[in-house]
């Protein structure tokens, strides 16, 4: 008989996993800390919108939710750079007009919850998991009125986010390695409304970036004609949130660094002082599972910074990997969870590193003329050697190549492009270098064997 | 008026700190999880004996406990190597007959507690701190009968060990970085009794090591004529604790790898199966303090592995540093705790790294003939250039040079000794290289400015 499954967290990853499990015939119960976001007006979580790419779509296919979400997703075909001198530039993400998609976190989460219930999943809201007795698989909850509850889980999945109670409970056990590192930067969400006629105030099909070396502003389009902007800035120091405590300081800061943006932000000061300044955490834990009893997925296993737009995509890929392991191993959960941990943990570590590295790229390198030149060469290589050259960005965002392979290719890609940009390069030499790069990718991908 | 101080943990570091604070006129209350080890028969903690070196003695001077402990300490003047082929060798630790001292953890702790009480410190036993509300400085305890207690601390010091409740409470706060990493090796304590006439079965004034590449056995002398042996071995794998599940397996393992030791260990099998296999954790946290309200010290701030014999010494040095900051800044605890964190945290990180690196040295390198040769050269250099050459080992064990300086000198020392061992070295060249090394040490030491 199929085991009964308890999921902590009805966020994106928990809800999607519950749908996949229900479709496979498992009885699933989900416990969520917050009230039902479909009836209450609450924040959807960490950010208003997110960037869906290949790994996310693949998981939505499994849930059967792709067509419905595609109708609500705004394709972003590249980065729209807003330079300090007022000029702008567009950098396409892919060579074949590929896009990443701006999606409302709240809408996606609500649809997943409704679909889950349709599939027979029972969701208990306002159940905050305080801790788990891991060996006994005993889950403890606290309700808003202070009431305490406990249950014995058969199979427990922790999709309860960056501050996961299951993760903390693992970390209390002997020989569990764990770490949490905060970025020196925080972030604050701001907004650009539509014009009076409803039209958008900037290019709709792009991810806007104002790269300013040690800080940056970005903006993603929403279906209601607004843009959600996010300012990433150090908490402390000369140019930091700590300095922006008065309306005058904020105005001066935006006028100095983002003159083209401030003119589009009539509610800047209200937004700035009303919205929280949030922190950015990266976490690692080892192992990700306990026997055949429990496992972590999504942010609970690997909270990462948002700079590659891969947080949700990585969490959804955890679901796809678990799903394919269930197909491979049937009801043998000892093997499923063990293989999930072995295969997936190195990729969780890799996407965490990729996300941290991409912060430097976004806020600093993208504005560099040699970076633009480099991106152009990448694109040309991709067109000339379509079977041999795929850039690291394309691997991460437009393929299902393991994150660890992509991370492993960064150095090879850097070497390839530096050689092309610096040395006397003939067509013959380039062909040879591209071939070397291709071998590296293949070898790494083979080693990962995801 | 002097603030009232609450200390969590009446172990070595907490008890010593309480004595230092009492002598300075502070009113100190200490809360200890375990019963009073002076009246109950309980284990003293992680290990039976430990190696006291310069930093430890300096702190005992502050407490006025040095003479009393010296009478109970056994000097170990070097490593006594037991090679696989049955031969042995002695490596002196210092060039001037310096020693590290084998001390009973339990005796030292009891003396410190008694001294603390004599100084007016109140110790509450069997009070397990469950968590601290850091911002409010509200400390929560659980008693053996399940009763809960709480108190509001004025100034709180967490000396509550590697699994510190104050540390965990810090780690729950925004923007606190924390990590815990376990070694793949565990350890088990064993014993060598005295001969029938009370004499010791091996050289008394040495730290005995049986280095065997990926694992090792060590032994420290005790005043009762016994040696406490510790086996460090991987938990899993071909040669590991996981394989040693039968008496036959243990006997074969010791006969194969430690033939000269097994003949001295009549209770090997009883000890092996009665004593626990323990794990080895390294932790980091940032910051180490909160405003002028609380701070971590000892293992609570920096749990480290035992391979440099510096765990207690580093914790005691935390106390000396805090003591000198009190002399410098009087009652200005905002400045004291801030400067303590700034100065001490890099040294806590450094001693953690030194301890991990020394594991490789102890279990693997010390047995290498070229390592013996190198140690001989180190000694000669120290004698020939007493003002210019001090080895990293001497810095750590026989000086008060900051750990971070010592860690920073490893590469310079490696380069110096490799040059002397490999190149055509004239006296003139050596004098020049030693001079370079000396500059490096001075520069690093100046940067640290501990």
């Amino acid at each position: 008989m199929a085991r009964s499954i308890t999921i902590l967290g009805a966020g994106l990853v928990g809800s999607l996993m519950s749908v996949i499990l229900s479709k496979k015939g498992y009885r699933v119960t989900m416990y969520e800390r917050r009230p039902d976001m479909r009836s209450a007006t609450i924040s959807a979580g960490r950010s208003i919108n997110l960037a869906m790419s290949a790994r996310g779509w693949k998981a939505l296919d499994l849930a059967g939710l792709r067509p419905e979400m595609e109708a609500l997703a705004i394709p972003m075909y590249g980065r729209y750079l807003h330079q300090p001198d007022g000029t702008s530039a567009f950098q396409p993400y892919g060579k074949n007009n590929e896009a990443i998609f701006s999606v409302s976190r709240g809408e996606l989460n609500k649809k997943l919850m409704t679909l889950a219930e349709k599939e027979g999943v029972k969701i208990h809201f306002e159940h905050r998991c305080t801790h788990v007795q891991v060996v006994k698989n005993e889950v403890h909850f606290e309700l808003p009125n202070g009431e305490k509850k406990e249950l014995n889980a058969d199979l427990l999945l922790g999709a309860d986010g960056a501050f996961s109670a299951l993760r903390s409970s693992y970390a209390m056990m002997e020989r569990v390695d764990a770490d949490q590192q905060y970025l020196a930067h925080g972030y604050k969400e701001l907004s650009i409304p539509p014009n009076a006629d409803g039209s958008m105030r900037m290019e709709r099909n792009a991810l806007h970036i104002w790269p300013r070396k040690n800080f940056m502003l970005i903006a993603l389009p929403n279906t209601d004609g607004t843009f959600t902007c996010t300012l990433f800035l150090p908490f402390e120091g000369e140019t930091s949130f700590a300095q922006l405590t008065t309306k005058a300081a904020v105005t001066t800061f935006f006028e100095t660094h983002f003159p083209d943006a401030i003119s589009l932000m009539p509610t800047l000061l209200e937004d700035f002082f009303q919205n929280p300044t949030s922190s950015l955490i990266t976490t690692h834990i080892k192992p990700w599972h306990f026997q055949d009893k429990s496992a972590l997925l999504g942010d609970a296993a690997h909270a990462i910074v948002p700079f590659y737009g891969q947080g949700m995509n990585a969490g959804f890929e955890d679901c796809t990997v678990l799903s394919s392991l269930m197909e491979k191993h049937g009801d043998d959960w000892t093997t499923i969870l063990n293989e999930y941990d072995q295969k997936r943990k190195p990729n969780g570590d890799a996407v965490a590193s990729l996300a941290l590295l991409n912060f430097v790229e976004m806020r600093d390198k993208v504005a560099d003329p040699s970076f633009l030149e480099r991106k152009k060469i990448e694109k040309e290589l991709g067109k000339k050697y379509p079977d041999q050259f795929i850039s690291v960005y394309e691997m991460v965002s437009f393929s299902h190549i393991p994150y660890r392979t992509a991370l492993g290719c960064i150095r090879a890609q850097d070497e390839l492009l530096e050689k092309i940009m610096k040395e006397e390069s003939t067509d013959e030499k380039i062909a040879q270098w591209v071939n070397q790069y291709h071998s590296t990718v293949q070898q790494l991908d083979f080693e990962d064997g995801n």
Side-chain angles (χ1 to χ4, degrees), chain A residues 142-434:
Chain A
E142 194 174 288
L143 276 58
N145 62 7
E147 191 194 327
K148 305 207 168 176
K149 263 197 193 178
E150 59 181 76
L151 66 84
N152 282 291
D154 178 4
L155 172 56
L156 178 69
L157 297 177
D160 48 345
F163 303 95
S164 165
L166 182 56
R167 177 184 188 278
S168 310
S169 303
Y170 277 2
M172 305 288 283
M173 299 176 76
E174 277 270 305
R175 297 179 62 210
V176 170
D177 291 347
D179 72 68
Q180 59 185 53
Q181 309 290 333
Y182 283 87
L183 226 56
H185 290 68
Y187 72 93
K188 191 183 280 287
E189 291 194 333
L190 304 164
S191 182
I192 293 178
N195 292 310
D197 65 358
S199 65
M200 297 184 91
R201 295 193 172 192
M202 300 188 300
E203 165 60 41
R204 181 177 194 259
N205 294 113
L207 191 153
H208 294 262
I209 313 187
W210 292 257
R212 297 296 182 267
K213 302 271 177 200
N214 193 34
F215 60 95
M216 69 175 180
L217 181 71
I218 67 168
L220 273 74
N222 299 315
T223 48
D224 63 1
T226 63
F227 284 90
T228 301
C229 304
T230 312
L231 173 66
F232 295 95
L233 184 70
F235 278 103
E236 279 111 31
E238 210 183 321
T239 308
S240 70
F241 280 113
Q243 306 303 317
L244 302 182
T245 54
T246 63
K247 289 183 177 180
V250 173
T251 305
T252 306
F253 174 74
F254 274 80
E255 277 172 352
T256 310
H257 299 293
F258 313 116
D260 63 332
I262 192 172
S263 64
L264 310 174
M265 304 169 88
T267 57
L268 170 64
L269 293 175
E270 294 90 307
D271 292 350
F272 196 94
F273 292 105
Q274 261 169 37
N275 295 347
T277 307
S278 306
S279 56
L280 296 155
I281 194 172
T282 300
T283 69
H284 300 86
I285 187 153
K286 181 185 164 193
W288 281 14
H289 82 291
F290 180 75
Q291 296 175 358
D292 67 339
K293 290 196 166 75
S294 61
L296 299 167
L297 62 169
D299 285 354
H302 48 79
I304 66 176
V305 293
F307 305 109
Y308 225 121
Q310 286 297 312
M312 173 268 294
N313 287 289
F316 277 15
E317 198 173 53
D318 295 343
C319 302
T320 336
V321 169
L322 266 177
S323 173
S324 64
L325 288 171
M326 283 183 258
E327 268 153 43
K328 191 168 157 197
H329 301 297
D331 242 358
D332 176 3
W333 280 92
T334 303
T335 306
I336 291 170
L337 294 187
N338 196 45
E339 205 169 314
Y340 167 70
D341 199 329
Q342 298 292 319
K343 279 180 102 150
R344 197 61 193 148
K345 155 88 179 145
N347 288 312
D349 292 347
V351 73
S353 301
L354 285 163
L356 286 165
L357 291 170
N358 216 47
F359 185 28
V360 182
E361 178 154 328
M362 282 181 87
R363 68 172 203 246
D364 187 354
K365 291 193 202 153
V366 289
D368 192 321
S370 78
F371 185 84
L372 294 174
E373 169 69 14
R374 195 185 133 143
K375 281 281 156 189
K376 243 176 78 185
I377 297 173
E378 274 182 28
K379 218 174 144 185
E380 284 162 17
L381 288 180
K383 283 188 173 162
K384 193 154 176 190
Y385 306 98
D387 300 330
Q388 294 193 288
F389 182 77
I390 169 167
S391 70
V392 171
Y393 187 89
E394 291 169 314
M395 288 182 206
V396 172
S397 298
F398 306 135
S399 89
H400 305 282
I401 292 174
Y403 289 123
R404 199 164 69 124
T405 308
L407 181 66
C409 288
I410 288 180
R411 178 193 288 258
Q413 182 183 275
D414 283 347
E415 283 172 1
L416 170 65
L417 284 147
E418 276 163 28
K419 271 196 277 192
I420 294 175
M421 288 169 79
K422 277 187 194 155
E423 288 185 31
E424 298 274 314
S425 53
T426 58
D427 280 0
E428 203 179 329
K429 272 192 192 169
I430 292 178
Q432 191 194 324
W433 295 335
V434 169

